[in-house]
Amino acid sequence: MSKILKSSNNHTEKLEAVYKPDGTLTQNANETLDVMATTHFKQSSDPPPQTEHNPHHICNDLLNKIYSTDRLDKAIGTFEPLKAAGPDTLQPIILQKAWKHIKNMTKTIMIKNHENQHIPGPWRNSRGIFIPKPGKTDYNQPKSYRTITLSPVMLKLQEKVILWHMQKDLNIALDTNKRQFGFKKGCSTEAALHKVTNMIERRIAKKGYVLGVFLDIEAAFDNVSFKAVAEAIHKTRLDPATAQWIINMVSNRYITINHKEATKTIRIRRGCPQGGILSPFLWNLVVDDLLTLSPNDTPGYLQAFADDIVSLAEGNDLDVIWDRTCKTINTITKWCKTKDLTISALKTKIVMFTWNKKWTLRPIVVDNTTIELSTSAKFLGVTIDNKLNYNEHITNITKKATASLMQCRKAVGPTWGLNPKTCSWMYKTIIRPILSYCCSIWIRATHTNLNTTKLRRVQALALRIMTGAMPSTPHISLNHITQITDVIFYLQGEAAKGSERLRAYGSLSLERPPLQRGTIKAHTTINDDFMKDLDIPLNSERDLTIPALNLEQNFTTTTPGDYPDIYKNQLQQSIDNTPSDTITCYTDGSKTDEGCGAGYIITTDNNNTIIHEESHRLPNCCTVFQAELSAITEACNHLITHTNKHIIIWTDSLSSIQALTTLNNNSRTVANCLNSLNHLGANNNLELRWIAAHTGLWGNEKADELAKLGTTSNPSPISTTISTTKLYNSTMSTGPIMDLNTLK
């Protein structure tokens, strides 16, 4: 739906004729392809890296680890089944359906490729598609499009397992500079904006100046030299064979582009493939060289989000700030030249952030072009103005949301069209995210009547479309009729959740409230005050943690699958047929008005002998999901002394099993449970099985009794994290209300 709304704004956003260098339009499809190829696939001034004739040796143990059957199974499952195919026209669904028949030969092929640092000929060719950039006024300009590379799925599969090797086995991402926020787990545009805004707020509060330079590198992914990529890879802890395979994959590529009846195949001379699995990681390695330069070369603060680079120079002396900024710009310009890159002076924005009214600054030159100071700059989707009042940003997002609503309105009339439920879904899932993007950074803007009026107008328009109400209906009445939270209260809750995400990831920079009146109030202080008003502890450990790859699993799982009724009928028979020497454990969690509890019972000899049983209480803020996982964790910890045993853990929480087997995990509770299971499974034959709840099965009923007993027992010393899903009751429109049952 979001794509439909975006594409319906302008029907001319498709490649037709484009301007040639002499200013005239192309006359046919071949000319158009020639101009687009010259613009987007430039030649490199550096010679391509030499292909090694004698492949580097790599040990078999490392190869078997990288291309383990389990990793390949997980990797092929990560692809969207109907994802666009490369030149071979094979979509992922074809390989996924045939995987059990081809996975062994696929593994053999990839190991041989790796051993010889070779990329098969059919894998080197990709299909290029030109995607129009949104918001451009003239789509006859060649640079109004970006190129997406569609590679063969088999190449992407090999790239993915190599990427997992670098991320999971070598932890190379931990070696990169912390001021790179793009393409890194636990980092986001929100974190990058927070760091920039936090530094500006601190200096403005001291009546000082911050000179921000927002640099734009022209087509960074497409233009970075192969030599720069090779040098960056060789600086890592990657083994020579894997490093050479990556270099050969990047530097030996062809791309085929089509336009109408014309086709053109081009040898790529520089750049990383747009849309490639390894490309973002490789770019981070390249730009890390810039971020690690000494303060003598880049004085001030320098950070990056992928190829969006920002430099901040703060202080009270404008001459010192000017000197630092010019030195940083010159250093970045020289660095770009060594990587075959250029800075776009026309797209570079320079903003002086200050509340002082009288000041002057000498001109600043970027790549022989004098840049005039701007009153604002758009950074990662948020318009930051020189006073940090975000009025311009509110205007931009309300215009964008209103335009999307007008497109929705074409499908809705007073008595016909989409029903109110569908209209509500469209507003909540498409329009409201436009308004709330990174609102934890600009939440200060909601403290002025002008901005709150703009935001409430958008929601009122959406609710009138939804209900067919008269234009004169007050927005407060519309909120009550539709049971939708007032947009300002919603933004306050979303801002607080964003702040808590940063706190959980360790990215939050705390600020003390200003001691004097008339100084700026930090956005972190605003969000903390909101949390205090809801009586939510700020120092409690959150359940959210930096996402981690779950590639190793020392236990097997059993779920009801597609036939739950048949499986339920077989449960009792499965339990009765369990060998007598098997250790069986039943776990459960419970949430009642009295509290939250977990319990487990461990038996053997087909449940005739009870080894141990236990129940414990968790903090009231915990969820049933956390209680279920806590029960499994404690059961594993109790069984950790057993070795060479067959252990079966039964749980009626299918969501817990799914969370423990998911590829990426960002829950601290799940991570603790997974570690306990893997430690126990390392020395035992461990199974985690689903059991139907409330069906009269003895073990499950006993675990349920113990879990309920835990809800009324004394608090346990077990360390439990707090979970954050929502900070208010979304059915109320009168103000923010804390829902303690779902507190994160």
Side-chain angles (χ1 to χ4, degrees):
M1 191 65 200
S2 180
K3 289 182 178 179
I4 292 172
L5 291 175
K6 289 178 181 178
S7 63
S8 59
N9 291 335
N10 191 336
H11 296 285
T12 64
E13 297 179 8
K14 58 181 180 179
L15 181 63
E16 292 293 345
V18 295
Y19 289 112
K20 293 187 287 187
D22 60 6
T24 60
L25 287 172
T26 55
Q27 300 297 316
N28 52 57
N30 287 318
E31 283 189 2
T32 300
L33 283 185
D34 289 339
V35 173
M36 296 298 287
T38 304
T39 303
H40 292 273
F41 307 105
K42 297 180 180 178
Q43 299 299 310
S44 177
S45 57
D46 294 330
Q50 295 296 321
T51 302
E52 298 285 346
H53 295 289
N54 297 319
H56 297 281
H57 174 72
I58 182 171
C59 65
N60 291 330
D61 290 341
L62 182 57
L63 284 172
N64 290 329
K65 184 176 184 179
I66 296 174
Y67 300 101
S68 68
T69 303
D70 185 53
R71 287 194 182 187
L72 287 171
D73 289 344
K74 290 184 176 181
I76 193 66
T78 60
F79 291 100
E80 290 292 333
L82 300 179
K83 195 75 173 177
D88 56 6
T89 70
L90 293 177
Q91 290 182 300
I93 189 172
I94 298 177
L95 301 180
Q96 290 167 345
K97 294 291 185 181
W99 185 243
K100 67 179 180 179
H101 303 291
I102 66 172
K103 66 179 178 180
N104 290 332
M105 68 178 76
T106 300
K107 179 178 178 178
T108 302
I109 291 171
M110 290 185 176
I111 288 177
K112 289 298 181 182
N113 290 344
H114 205 133
E115 285 180 335
N116 298 300
Q117 290 96 68
H118 171 73
I119 293 81
W123 294 11
R124 299 179 193 175
N125 194 15
S126 301
R127 186 158 60 99
I129 296 178
F130 296 107
I131 305 295
K133 297 179 181 178
K136 297 295 182 179
T137 57
D138 186 2
Y139 286 93
N140 293 124
Q141 297 291 344
K143 290 188 178 181
S144 294
Y145 301 84
R146 64 167 53 92
T147 309
I148 298 297
T149 302
L150 300 180
S151 305
V153 179
M154 294 293 282
L155 177 63
K156 289 184 177 181
L157 181 61
Q158 187 158 5
E159 284 187 80
K160 177 153 290 188
V161 292
I162 290 177
L163 176 63
W164 285 355
H165 169 61
M166 293 192 290
Q167 290 179 332
K168 179 70 175 178
D169 303 329
L170 302 179
N171 285 324
I172 293 179
L174 297 179
D175 300 335
T176 57
N177 198 287
K178 292 183 178 180
R179 286 178 281 128
Q180 170 62 269
F181 291 88
F183 311 121
K184 292 174 68 174
K185 294 183 182 297
C187 295
S188 61
T189 56
E190 197 170 39
L193 283 162
H194 163 70
K195 291 295 183 183
V196 170
T197 307
N198 181 259
M199 179 171 288
I200 298 172
E201 288 173 340
R202 282 187 304 170
R203 183 53 62 176
I204 286 182
K206 298 176 182 179
K207 308 296 184 181
Y209 304 89
V210 180
L211 186 59
V213 181
F214 300 87
L215 294 165
D216 181 88
I217 300 177
E218 288 188 354
F221 270 66
D222 294 330
N223 291 331
V224 64
S225 66
F226 292 155
K227 180 182 177 182
V229 175
E231 290 174 350
I233 293 174
H234 285 309
K235 289 181 180 179
T236 66
R237 292 179 282 112
L238 202 61
D239 64 278
T242 306
Q244 190 60 45
W245 185 92
I246 295 174
I247 293 170
N248 290 345
M249 184 272 297
V250 171
S251 58
N252 292 285
R253 295 184 294 118
Y254 297 85
I255 190 167
T256 301
I257 53 178
N258 301 290
H259 177 54
K260 296 182 178 179
E261 72 282 356
T263 301
K264 188 178 183 68
T265 300
I266 307 157
R267 172 72 184 266
I268 302 301
R269 297 296 182 182
R270 59 178 177 177
C272 298
Q274 287 276 9
I277 302 294
L278 283 169
S279 298
F281 196 85
L282 297 178
W283 170 256
N284 277 3
L285 296 180
V286 172
V287 81
D288 192 67
D289 186 39
L290 173 64
L291 298 176
T292 53
L293 292 176
S294 68
N296 292 330
D297 297 317
T298 56
Y301 178 75
L302 186 69
Q303 80 168 45
F305 188 95
D307 57 346
D308 289 317
I309 298 174
V310 58
S311 167
L312 298 177
E314 61 172 330
N316 295 321
D317 190 318
L318 291 175
D319 290 331
V320 173
I321 292 174
W322 184 87
D323 288 335
R324 291 176 176 174
T325 300
C326 291
K327 190 171 185 178
T328 300
I329 291 175
N330 291 334
T331 299
I332 296 174
T333 303
K334 292 177 182 178
W335 177 86
C336 286
K337 290 180 179 179
T338 64
K339 310 300 180 185
D340 220 359
L341 300 171
T342 56
I343 295 176
S344 174
L346 296 177
K347 295 181 180 179
T348 296
K349 297 287 184 179
I350 302 178
V351 182
M352 177 64 81
F353 299 97
T354 182
W355 278 6
N356 299 329
K357 296 183 179 179
K358 295 182 179 180
W359 54 269
T360 56
L361 188 71
R362 285 179 282 172
I364 296 177
V365 178
V366 177
D367 199 19
N368 298 323
T369 303
T370 302
I371 306 296
E372 299 292 334
L373 291 182
S374 303
T375 57
S376 64
K378 191 172 184 179
F379 180 58
L380 301 179
V382 174
T383 304
I384 309 176
D385 54 82
N386 56 359
K387 304 293 183 184
L388 282 193
N389 53 33
Y390 297 103
N391 293 339
E392 186 177 347
H393 178 70
I394 299 297
T395 300
N396 293 339
I397 62 173
T398 51
K399 283 183 178 179
K400 183 179 179 180
T402 303
S404 296
L405 272 175
M406 290 299 100
Q407 296 296 331
C408 297
R409 194 171 188 173
K410 293 179 179 179
V412 183
T415 59
W416 56 269
L418 303 177
N419 59 44
K421 183 178 180 180
T422 305
C423 293
S424 176
W425 170 82
M426 290 172 61
Y427 171 67
K428 290 179 180 179
T429 58
I430 299 172
I431 307 302
R432 207 158 60 173
I434 296 175
L435 300 176
S436 62
Y437 171 72
C438 284
C439 60
S440 62
I441 309 301
W442 51 264
I443 191 62
R444 181 187 307 105
T446 61
H447 292 181
T448 61
N449 292 332
L450 177 63
N451 290 329
T452 56
T453 300
K454 292 179 181 178
L455 292 165
R456 281 178 172 144
R457 281 176 180 170
V458 176
Q459 177 158 309
L461 176 60
L463 300 188
R464 290 189 184 103
I465 294 173
M466 185 190 312
T467 61
M470 298 291 291
S472 58
T473 307
H475 71 88
I476 295 178
S477 300
L478 290 170
N479 292 342
H480 279 285
I481 292 170
T482 58
Q483 294 186 340
I484 291 181
T485 308
D486 184 90
V487 66
I488 303 303
F489 297 143
Y490 171 80
L491 292 175
Q492 289 174 343
E494 289 298 299
K497 286 198 288 186
S499 181
E500 290 306 296
R501 281 194 297 270
L502 296 178
R503 193 191 307 276
Y505 289 149
S507 301
L508 189 67
S509 302
L510 299 179
E511 290 296 318
R512 293 181 179 179
L515 301 178
Q516 54 185 351
R517 297 182 64 184
T519 57
I520 193 169
K521 191 174 184 180
H523 64 281
T524 53
T525 303
I526 296 173
N527 293 324
D528 286 350
D529 289 345
F530 179 77
M531 299 285 283
K532 291 175 183 176
D533 291 341
L534 298 180
D535 197 24
I536 300 174
L538 295 175
N539 298 323
S540 299
E541 188 179 17
R542 267 42 180 178
D543 188 49
L544 190 67
T545 186
I546 295 176
L549 277 173
N550 176 19
L551 296 180
E552 295 181 5
Q553 190 174 296
N554 297 330
F555 58 94
T556 59
T557 58
T558 304
T559 60
D562 297 329
Y563 306 98
D565 294 333
I566 297 176
Y567 190 82
K568 289 176 186 177
N569 295 333
Q570 296 174 344
L571 279 175
Q572 187 62 58
Q573 182 181 357
S574 176
I575 294 171
D576 294 338
N577 293 335
T578 302
S580 59
D581 60 343
T582 299
I583 297 176
T584 305
C585 178
Y586 300 90
T587 65
D588 201 5
S590 180
K591 178 84 172 180
T592 64
D593 294 338
E594 288 78 15
C596 186
Y600 65 89
I601 182 171
I602 302 173
T603 70
T604 188
D605 191 22
N606 295 99
N607 298 336
N608 291 319
T609 303
I610 297 177
I611 299 177
H612 182 73
E613 63 181 57
E614 184 178 319
S615 62
H616 56 267
R617 183 172 181 173
L618 283 73
N620 293 341
C621 56
C622 291
T623 62
V624 178
F625 176 72
Q626 289 176 302
E628 300 274 4
L629 291 168
S630 176
I632 299 173
T633 302
E634 292 305 309
C636 291
N637 293 340
H638 183 82
L639 293 168
I640 196 63
T641 56
H642 292 270
T643 58
N644 300 322
K645 297 289 186 181
H646 181 205
I647 301 174
I648 301 176
I649 298 178
W650 294 91
T651 176
D652 61 9
S653 174
L654 183 58
S655 60
S656 296
I657 298 177
Q658 291 171 339
L660 290 167
T661 55
T662 190
L663 185 61
N664 288 288
N665 165 50
N666 63 352
S667 167
R668 199 182 303 270
T669 307
V670 175
N672 292 338
C673 186
L674 185 61
N675 289 335
S676 298
L677 285 166
N678 281 331
H679 284 145
L680 181 61
N683 300 312
N684 296 279
N685 178 15
L686 180 61
E687 294 184 61
L688 182 63
R689 297 183 181 181
W690 175 85
I691 188 171
H694 310 299
T695 55
L697 297 173
W698 175 84
N700 180 254
E701 296 297 331
K702 185 63 178 178
D704 184 55
E705 291 177 11
L706 292 170
K708 290 179 178 177
L709 180 63
T711 62
T712 57
S713 62
N714 294 327
S716 170
I718 296 173
S719 174
T720 310
T721 54
I722 296 178
S723 124
T724 7
T725 46
K726 57 184 178 182
L727 297 173
Y728 51 85
N729 187 335
S730 63
T731 62
M732 301 297 292
S733 59
T734 55
I737 297 176
M738 183 62 214
D739 185 352
L740 292 178
N741 293 327
T742 55
L743 167 64
K744 246 184 194 178

